[in-house]
């Protein structure tokens, strides 16, 4: 059964009483609740609201019940007041539940708003709704707040304002309008908010507090509009602040009490200051100065913001002198708070820029002299003076100079020197460090060094800060290195190394030695780098690059040589070992006197090649082949160079290394460049023999055998490429085959029982197409001389050479004459007796060669020599009585003399002697 269906008055009364009892019981529970032990449960408000709804359906109520409801409402309200006194901060749910209970209390009182016997019940009910609305407003529940304020407004709308006499009731009329206006403002209903404030002007009742409250609310709205920094907002803010100013002026004409007047004057001054700020935002600088003048004329104690407003207005008008006066005036006024003058300094510097830096410095140091300045203020001022140093320029340099003077002042140093200012000291150091770093990046090294030095003033000299101090010394070293003040840079890096002996300090010392061109010191420093605890091999590579850039090649060589020592340890290296070797050899090659050092590094590379493998050392694929070819070619070229300089011992070693490098196979190659291996081996042996002849030493037997083995190796490689000796010319140049043959002959001549082998070697070479007369001539001459001469080889080589020359269309008769002389000499020396037919045959061959030649075509002196020696050969047979033999040699000499121009006298004597000789023989 529904309550509405109950028509009996008795039942209505019972239900009302029952519901009131339930409400009272809930209120008792609320009164007993202790907020400190548990949060306020939401069951209270929910139950009370449901019960209130049921009770409301049973209206109208008798006056006695209304009085009871009135009492219950006040009990619930007072319980809420007690709960709020516990002030459970930070619990939103608790505060919302408290507001709900207040709402129930206000609604409960509203049921009995027309009770008889209580004065002004509508005002009291409206007061409950007003206060509840304020709570909802604070909780930002603006819809609920507006509901309460509208309920209160409806209750008071029925009241005749002219009959209101109590102060609290009069004030409620104004406060309610202001509260409704604030809520409307929060939900962006600005028109209603302004309308409600305008409506409030009718309920001021000539009270100072009312004028102050309404003017203050206009000011608050104006400040809110001003903070949005919009053109339309600034205009609206001006209107609202003018309303506030007008209310203050009206209030001052109405109110006569001194205390009330002072409060309105203070609000008027505050409004004027914000009016000045509004004009400042609109760049209405003249209006700002008018506001400041009014305030200064009307107040004994000047507000700190007036100097700031005036200074900014003068700055806006471009009158920097007046602005500076205002700024300096702050130094004299001890009442200006620190935050105000710091803000003024920032504003002044922002407009005037670097040109105002000296003035800022003077103001700040003046403030330091007259009052206590906080460390935070000092940091703010320094930060503002520094500005943005990125990009450098004259302005940034001027700012930095002022900063340098500021931060080195003893008063600032003292200010930031205490233990309680460690955070600010760190911040100051960071500011100066970043400023100096920007100047460093802009290449303004002098300014950078100056600021870095000043930053060191803010680094404590304790153990904890030693790394930071070392870092500062290192960066100062860099600055002075850039300025070429190397002695000063060395002083700083020495200090850094004392504090923190690490690789960075050691490397900077190395760079200073380089820039001083002190190679010995740089080399010593490089060798000390690996002893640093944080050393990495990248620093040796970097040291080599730095040395090359400074054209200090011995230092680069030392760095790379030291770097090579780390490859055998298996460490991770920045670059491959072969690249280091190649770079090292390239550097050494720039000095022509470094042949022995190049050889040393080449041998070292070859040793590493043998320890590893060609693919690991050189690399795989095309890269590996290029590296191998580089070492091979450079070893070959070095061998050629040293050979041309008669350094045959080094030359031989270079060619030996070239053969090893050329022979390295990559990517499963069966063999390397075998032709170049052969050439290198041949040149190695040739250099060994040349060195022996240059030094007039004699090779030991084991050295001879080793050289022969090298030639045999080359010969086997050649023959593996061609089964026919005649086809080798397509593989290797004839000159190399000759050198191979000549060297082999020379070496075999030093061993016993190798004569037949030598002859076989020369015959094989003579029968090849690679052979030419000059080669045979050289072999013949060498075979005919020295302690290891071989006359068989010599005669064969010379005879073959002679035949080859004569077969030419235009023989070289000088060479022919030389060969003939050599053959005559050899056959004379090694003949059995004087009746050597072979020797006679040589003379006859020479005669036949001369027959038909033009005069002088055959060397005359050689022809004379042949004629005279043939004639002189007859002497021995004559003494021995071999007359026929003697006559044969005399005839040979005469025949040769007939072919030689200029021997006419000799021929006559010869002919006469032969005639007398024959006559003597006939007489006998």
């Amino acid at each position: 059964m529904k309550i509405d269906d109950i028509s009996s008055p008795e039942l209505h009364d019972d239900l009302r009483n029952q519901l009131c009892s339930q409400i009272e019981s809930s209120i008792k529970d609320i009164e007993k609740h202790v907020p400190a032990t548990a949060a306020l449960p939401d069951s209270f408000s929910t139950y009370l609201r449901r019960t209130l709804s049921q009770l409301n359906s049973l209206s109208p109520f008798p006056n006695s019940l209304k009085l009871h409801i009135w009492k219950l409402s006040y009990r619930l309200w007072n319980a809420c007041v007690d709960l709020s006194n516990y002030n459970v901060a930070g619990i939103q749910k608790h505060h919302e539940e408290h507001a709900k209970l207040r709402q129930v209390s206000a609604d409960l009182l509203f049921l009995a708003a027309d009770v008889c016997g209580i004065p002004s019940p509508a005002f009291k009910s409206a007061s409950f709704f007003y206060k509840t609305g304020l709570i909802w407003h604070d909780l930002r529940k603006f819809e609920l707040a507006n509901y309460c304020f509208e309920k209160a407004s409806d209750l008071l709308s029925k009241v005749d304002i002219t009959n209101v006499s109590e102060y609290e009731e009069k004030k409620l009329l104004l406060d309610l309008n202001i509260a409704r206006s604030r809520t409307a403002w929060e939900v962006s209903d600005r028109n209603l908010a302004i309308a409600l404030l305008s409506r409030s002007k009718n309920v001021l009742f000539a009270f100072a507090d009312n004028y102050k409250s309404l003017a203050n609310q206009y000011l608050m709205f104006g400040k809110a509009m001003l903070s949005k920094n919009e053109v339309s907002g600034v205009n609206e803010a001006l209107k609202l602040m003018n309303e506030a100013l007008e209310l203050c002026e009206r209030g001052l004409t109405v109110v006569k009490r001194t205390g009330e007047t002072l409060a309105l004057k203070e609000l008027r001054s505050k409004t004027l200051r914000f009016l000045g700020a509004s004009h400042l935002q609109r760049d209405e600088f003249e209006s700002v100065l008018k506001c400041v003048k009014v305030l200064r004329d009307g107040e004994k104690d000047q507000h700190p913001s007036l100097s700031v407003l005036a200074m900014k207005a003068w700055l806006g008008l471009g009158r920097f002198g007046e602005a500076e006066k205002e700024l300096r005036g702050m130094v004299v006024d001890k009442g200006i708070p620190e935050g105000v003058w710091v803000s003024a300094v920032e504003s002044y510097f922002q407009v005037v820029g670097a040109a105002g830096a000296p003035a800022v410095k003077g103001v700040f140091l003046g403030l330091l002299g007259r009052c206590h300045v906080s460390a935070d203020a000092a940091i703010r001022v320094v930060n503002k003076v520094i500005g943005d140093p990125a990009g450098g320029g004259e302005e940034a340099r001027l700012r930095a100079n002022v900063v340098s003077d500021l931060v080195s002042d003893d008063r600032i140093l003292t200010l930031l020197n205490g233990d309680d200012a460690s955070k600010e000291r760190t911040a100051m150091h960071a500011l100066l460090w970043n400023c100096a770093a920007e100047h460093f990046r802009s290449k303004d090294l002098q300014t950078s060094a100056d600021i870095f030095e000043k930053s060191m003033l803010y680094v404590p000299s304790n153990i904890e800060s030693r790394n930071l101090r070392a870092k500062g010394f290192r960066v100062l070293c860099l600055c002075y290195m850039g300025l070429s003040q190397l002695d000063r840079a060395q002083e700083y890096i020495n200090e850094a190394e004392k504090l923190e002996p690490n690789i960075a300090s050691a490397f900077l010392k190395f760079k200073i030695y380089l820039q001083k061109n002190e190679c010995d010191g740089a080399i010593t420093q490089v060798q000390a780098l690996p002893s640093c605890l944080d050393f990495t091999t990248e620093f040796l590579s970097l040291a080599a690059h730095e040395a090359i850039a400074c054209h200090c090649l011995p230092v680069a060589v030392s760095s790379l040589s030291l770097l090579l020592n780390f490859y055998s340890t298996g460490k991770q290296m920045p670059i491959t070992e072969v690249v280091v070797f190649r770079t090292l050899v390239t550097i050494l090659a720039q000095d022509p006197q470094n042949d022995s050092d190049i050889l040393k590094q080449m041998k070292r590379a070859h040793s590493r090649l043998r320890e590893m493998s060609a693919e690991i050392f050189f690399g795989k694929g095309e890269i590996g082949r290029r590296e191998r070819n580089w070492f091979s070619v450079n070893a070959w070229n070095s061998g050629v160079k040293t050979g041309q300089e008669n350094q045959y011992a080094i030359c031989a070693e270079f060619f030996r290394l070239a053969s090893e490098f050329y022979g390295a196979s990559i990517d499963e190659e069966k063999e390397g460049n075998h032709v170049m291996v052969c050439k290198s081996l041949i040149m190695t042996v040739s250099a060994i023999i040349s060195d022996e002849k240059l030094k007039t030493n004699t090779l030991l037997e084991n050295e001879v055998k080793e050289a022969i083995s090298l030639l045999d190796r080359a010969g086997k490689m050649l023959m593996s490429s061609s089964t026919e000796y005649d086809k080798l010319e397509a593989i290797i140049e004839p000159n190399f085959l000759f050198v191979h043959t000549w060297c082999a002959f020379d070496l075999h001549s030093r061993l016993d029982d190798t004569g037949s082998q030598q002859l076989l070697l020369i015959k094989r070479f003579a029968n090849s197409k690679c052979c030419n007369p000059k080669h045979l001539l050289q072999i013949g001459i060498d075979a005919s001389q020295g302690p290891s001469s071989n006359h068989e080889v010599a005669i064969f080589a010379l005879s073959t050479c002679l035949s080859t020359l004569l077969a030419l269309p235009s023989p070289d008769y000088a060479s022919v004459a030389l060969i003939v002389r050599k053959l005559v000499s050899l056959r004379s020396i090694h003949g059995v007796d004087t009746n050597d037919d072979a020797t006679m045959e040589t003379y006859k061959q020479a005669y036949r060669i001369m027959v038909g030649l033009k005069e002088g075509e055959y060397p005359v002196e050689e022809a004379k020599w042949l004629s005279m020696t043939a004639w002189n050969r007859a002497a021995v047979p004559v003494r021995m009585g071999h007359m026929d033999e003697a006559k044969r040699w005399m005839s040979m000499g005469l025949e040769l003399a007939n072919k030689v121009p200029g021997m006419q006298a000799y021929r006559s004597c010869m002919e006469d002697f032969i005639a007398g000789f024959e006559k003597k023989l006939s007489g006998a």
Side-chain angles (χ1 to χ4, degrees):
M1 180 175 62
K2 295 181 180 180
I3 294 177
D4 292 341
D5 296 335
I6 300 174
S7 58
S8 172
E10 292 80 4
L11 289 176
H12 272 263
D13 291 340
D14 292 341
L15 282 172
R16 291 190 191 106
N17 293 331
Q18 183 181 356
L19 291 171
C20 286
S21 297
Q22 292 174 357
I23 291 172
E24 186 174 8
S25 176
S26 296
I27 292 173
K28 288 180 180 179
D29 291 339
I30 293 170
E31 290 172 337
K32 294 177 182 178
H33 179 75
V34 181
T37 59
L40 192 66
D42 58 0
S43 58
F44 287 140
S45 63
T46 303
Y47 179 76
L48 284 172
R49 186 167 294 283
R50 185 170 62 249
T51 307
L52 181 62
S53 177
Q54 293 175 354
L55 183 62
N56 188 32
S57 65
L58 297 176
S59 61
F61 308 121
N63 198 62
S64 59
L65 183 61
K66 289 180 181 180
L67 286 172
H68 184 58
I69 293 172
W70 194 275
K71 293 178 181 178
L72 290 176
S73 174
Y74 265 86
R75 281 184 64 186
L76 179 57
W77 187 267
N78 290 334
C80 289
V81 172
D82 293 337
L83 289 172
S84 66
N85 289 336
Y86 277 96
N87 193 21
V88 183
I91 305 176
Q92 179 74 10
K93 183 178 180 181
H94 173 85
H95 295 305
E96 288 186 8
E97 188 62 26
H98 172 244
K100 289 177 183 178
L101 292 176
R102 294 246 189 182
Q103 184 74 56
V104 171
S105 176
D107 288 338
L108 190 61
L109 191 63
F110 183 72
L111 290 178
D114 56 347
V115 65
C116 297
I118 294 178
S120 304
F123 270 101
K124 290 181 171 59
S125 180
S127 174
F128 273 31
F129 277 113
Y130 166 70
K131 293 176 181 178
T132 303
L134 291 178
I135 295 173
W136 283 124
H137 184 92
D138 291 340
L139 293 172
R140 303 195 65 78
K141 303 288 185 180
F142 298 121
E143 291 184 3
L144 294 174
N146 189 56
Y147 165 77
C148 291
F149 293 144
E150 287 181 352
K151 276 280 190 182
S153 297
D154 289 340
L155 286 168
L156 296 178
S157 63
K158 301 172 184 177
V159 178
D160 186 1
I161 297 177
T162 58
N163 295 327
V164 177
S165 59
E166 295 293 331
Y167 171 77
E168 293 295 333
E169 293 174 356
K170 290 180 178 180
K171 192 171 188 310
L172 178 61
L173 292 171
L174 176 66
D175 291 343
L176 181 60
N177 280 334
I178 292 175
R180 282 187 69 192
S181 175
R182 286 174 54 217
T183 303
W185 186 273
E186 290 290 348
V187 296
S188 300
D189 192 352
R190 293 178 184 172
N191 292 332
L192 176 61
I194 302 302
L196 287 169
L197 289 184
S198 298
R199 192 184 301 173
S200 300
K201 294 178 182 178
N202 299 324
V203 289
L204 293 174
F205 299 112
F207 291 147
D209 284 347
N210 286 358
Y211 279 103
K212 181 182 176 183
S213 297
L214 185 57
N216 190 60
Q217 193 58 54
Y218 270 113
L219 180 60
M220 290 300 104
F221 286 166
K223 287 165 62 177
M225 295 297 293
L226 192 63
S227 64
K228 293 184 178 180
N229 201 19
E230 299 174 355
V231 176
S232 58
V234 174
N235 294 334
E236 188 66 27
L238 276 173
K239 293 178 183 178
L240 294 170
M241 289 179 186
N242 281 321
E243 289 284 350
L245 185 62
E246 184 180 347
L247 284 168
C248 290
E249 298 287 354
R250 283 173 54 192
L252 287 172
T253 59
V254 174
V255 178
K256 301 300 180 183
R257 293 178 183 176
T258 304
E260 294 174 347
T261 303
L262 288 175
L264 281 172
K265 284 183 177 180
E266 183 179 345
L267 182 60
R268 172 179 172 272
S269 297
K270 184 178 180 181
T271 305
L272 276 170
R273 289 196 299 274
F274 277 99
L275 270 172
S278 301
H279 288 301
L280 191 64
Q281 272 193 301
R282 296 179 56 169
D283 295 338
E284 297 171 349
F285 304 116
E286 296 288 352
S287 298
V288 176
L289 292 173
K290 288 179 182 178
C291 291
V292 171
K293 185 176 186 303
V294 171
L295 286 167
R296 283 178 170 172
D297 292 342
E299 294 183 11
K300 293 182 180 180
D301 297 329
Q302 301 294 320
H303 193 273
S305 65
L306 296 184
S307 295
V308 179
L309 285 172
M311 183 199 71
K312 290 183 177 180
W314 289 122
L315 288 174
L317 293 171
R319 297 173 65 176
F320 300 139
E322 298 293 336
E324 186 176 337
K325 287 180 182 178
E326 292 288 347
L327 188 62
R328 293 188 180 277
M330 295 182 189
V331 179
V332 181
D333 190 352
K334 296 183 178 181
I336 296 179
E338 178 182 280
V340 173
W341 61 255
V342 171
S343 175
V345 166
E346 290 175 338
S347 300
Y348 177 81
F349 205 77
Q350 186 173 358
V351 175
V352 180
V360 169
K361 182 181 73 172
V363 169
F364 185 65
L365 294 178
L367 289 165
L368 280 171
R370 73 162 177 81
C371 64
H372 175 72
V373 177
S374 70
D376 286 334
I379 291 170
R380 283 181 62 185
V381 170
V382 170
N383 184 37
K384 199 64 182 179
V385 176
I386 287 173
D388 183 11
E394 190 59 35
E395 180 178 343
R397 190 177 298 109
L398 179 59
R399 287 171 178 261
N401 291 337
V402 174
V403 167
S404 177
D405 293 340
L406 272 176
V407 299
S408 59
D409 189 273
D410 291 338
R411 288 166 289 184
I412 295 184
L413 291 171
T414 304
L415 181 66
L416 295 175
N417 195 34
D419 293 336
D420 55 344
S422 60
K423 183 179 178 182
E424 289 78 7
R425 188 166 54 247
T426 302
M428 179 68 83
H429 176 268
L431 270 178
L432 297 174
W433 183 278
N434 293 335
C435 173
E438 288 296 339
H439 284 284
F440 188 89
R441 280 188 280 271
S442 302
K443 308 300 182 185
D444 187 358
L445 299 180
Q446 187 62 60
T447 302
S448 177
D450 185 32
I451 301 299
F452 273 128
E453 285 177 344
K454 297 305 185 292
S455 73
M456 296 292 288
L457 298 173
Y458 296 90
V459 181
S461 299
N462 51 30
I463 296 176
E464 293 79 6
S465 302
R466 63 187 304 163
N467 290 347
L468 187 58
R469 289 182 66 80
K471 183 179 179 182
F473 285 134
R474 285 195 296 272
V475 77
L476 280 167
C477 169
L478 284 173
C479 290
Y480 284 109
M481 284 175 66
L483 292 168
S484 298
Q485 298 180 26
L486 302 179
D487 290 336
R488 195 165 182 182
Q490 193 162 24
E491 290 176 8
Y492 278 119
I493 202 59
N494 288 338
E495 291 298 320
E497 196 168 35
K498 291 176 185 176
L499 293 169
E500 188 182 16
N502 59 10
I503 188 64
S505 298
F507 192 78
L508 284 175
K509 285 186 73 175
F510 161 75
K511 288 193 67 173
I512 291 171
Y513 281 122
L514 275 184
Q515 291 192 16
K516 284 186 170 183
N517 203 25
E518 295 180 6
C519 291
D520 293 339
I523 291 172
T524 303
Q525 192 63 31
V526 163
Q527 292 170 349
L529 291 181
S531 62
C532 297
L533 295 178
D534 54 344
F535 166 78
T536 60
T537 53
E538 285 85 352
F539 281 96
L540 289 176
S541 178
L542 185 59
H545 285 291
E546 293 284 348
I548 292 170
C550 293
H551 304 288
C552 197
L553 301 185
V555 179
V557 170
S558 178
S559 302
L560 294 176
S561 299
L562 188 58
L563 178 61
L564 287 171
N565 294 336
F566 291 90
Y567 282 90
S568 58
T569 62
K571 290 183 178 180
Q572 187 74 23
M573 302 301 286
I575 51 178
T576 58
E577 188 173 6
V578 70
V579 172
V580 179
F581 273 118
R582 172 160 48 81
T583 307
L584 186 52
V585 172
T586 303
I587 294 170
L588 288 169
Q590 295 184 35
D591 187 348
Q593 305 302 318
N594 285 339
D595 295 323
S596 57
D597 292 329
I598 293 173
L599 178 61
K600 178 183 175 182
Q601 298 303 330
M602 284 279 195
K603 283 183 174 180
R604 194 174 176 185
H606 176 250
S607 177
R608 290 292 293 161
L609 172 63
R610 294 181 65 183
E611 290 175 12
M612 303 161 69
S613 68
E615 290 187 354
I616 295 175
F617 182 73
F618 289 124
K620 296 181 179 180
E622 186 59 31
I623 293 176
R625 280 188 284 272
R626 283 202 298 267
E627 293 289 357
R628 177 195 63 187
N629 292 342
W630 189 91
F631 277 89
S632 304
V633 170
N634 274 273
W636 175 275
N637 291 340
S638 296
V640 171
K641 173 182 174 292
T642 51
Q644 292 171 344
E645 295 170 353
N646 297 333
Q647 301 181 55
Y648 296 118
I650 297 177
C651 170
E653 295 194 62
F654 273 124
F655 280 123
R656 182 71 177 270
L657 286 171
S659 69
E660 296 293 336
F661 287 132
Y662 276 123
S665 60
I666 295 176
D667 291 343
E668 299 181 355
E669 292 176 336
K670 291 183 179 180
E671 54 190 2
N673 191 337
H674 63 278
V675 175
M676 290 306 299
V677 173
C678 290
K679 290 181 179 180
S680 300
L681 290 172
I682 293 168
M683 294 302 294
T684 301
V685 178
S686 175
I688 291 172
I689 296 172
S690 299
D691 183 60
E692 178 196 34
K693 292 182 178 180
L694 179 67
K695 297 178 180 178
T696 64
N697 294 332
T698 302
L699 292 175
L700 301 176
E701 185 176 350
N702 62 326
E703 294 175 335
V704 172
K705 289 181 178 179
E706 183 182 0
I708 290 174
S709 68
L710 294 177
L711 288 178
D712 290 344
R713 179 184 164 197
K716 288 177 182 178
M717 294 182 72
L718 287 173
M719 296 311 297
S720 66
S721 303
S722 176
T723 56
E724 297 183 21
Y725 202 81
D726 288 343
K727 294 182 179 179
L728 288 177
E729 189 176 359
I731 301 171
I732 192 169
E733 293 88 336
N735 287 339
F736 282 97
L737 285 175
F738 162 68
V739 175
H740 177 270
T741 304
W742 179 84
C743 290
F745 166 77
D746 184 276
L747 293 171
H748 280 291
S749 68
R750 303 161 190 260
L751 302 177
D752 297 333
D753 301 326
T754 57
S756 59
Q757 191 173 354
Q758 286 180 289
L759 183 59
L760 181 63
L761 180 69
I762 301 304
K763 285 183 176 181
R764 186 176 182 184
F765 175 69
N767 292 328
S768 68
K769 294 180 179 178
C770 302
C771 179
N772 66 56
K774 291 182 180 180
H775 294 159
L776 289 174
L777 178 59
Q778 182 66 45
I779 292 171
I781 292 172
D782 290 342
S784 66
Q785 298 172 353
S788 302
S789 61
N790 189 325
H791 73 281
E792 291 184 5
V793 172
I795 290 173
F796 172 77
L798 293 172
S799 299
T800 307
C801 178
L802 182 59
S803 301
T804 305
L805 284 174
L806 293 175
L808 296 174
S810 300
D812 180 6
Y813 288 106
S815 297
V816 170
L818 177 61
I819 293 169
V820 170
R821 180 193 279 255
K822 283 289 184 182
L823 284 172
V824 169
S825 301
L826 284 170
R827 284 170 174 163
S828 298
I829 295 170
H830 298 283
V832 178
D833 51 34
T834 54
N835 296 318
D836 188 356
D837 293 336
T839 305
M840 176 59 74
E841 184 58 35
T842 302
Y843 279 98
K844 289 181 179 181
Q845 187 178 14
Y847 175 76
R848 289 193 295 270
I849 292 170
M850 294 180 194
V851 174
L853 293 181
K854 296 178 182 179
E855 185 177 333
E857 193 170 357
Y858 192 92
V860 175
E861 292 301 322
E862 290 296 326
K864 286 181 180 180
W865 181 86
L866 285 172
S867 174
M868 297 302 293
T869 55
W871 180 269
N872 291 338
R873 279 180 180 274
V876 176
V878 168
R879 287 196 297 269
M880 295 182 66
H882 299 162
M883 301 304 175
D884 293 336
E885 184 67 20
K887 185 178 179 181
R888 191 160 65 108
W889 282 111
M890 285 189 284
S891 299
M892 189 70 254
L894 180 59
E895 289 178 3
L896 289 169
N898 290 327
K899 297 296 181 183
V900 180
M903 289 192 70
Q904 291 83 358
Y906 286 101
R907 283 199 301 269
S908 300
C909 293
M910 287 178 181
E911 288 171 355
D912 293 341
F913 186 83
I914 289 174
F917 182 72
E918 287 179 348
K919 185 177 181 180
K920 186 178 179 180
L921 284 178
S922 299

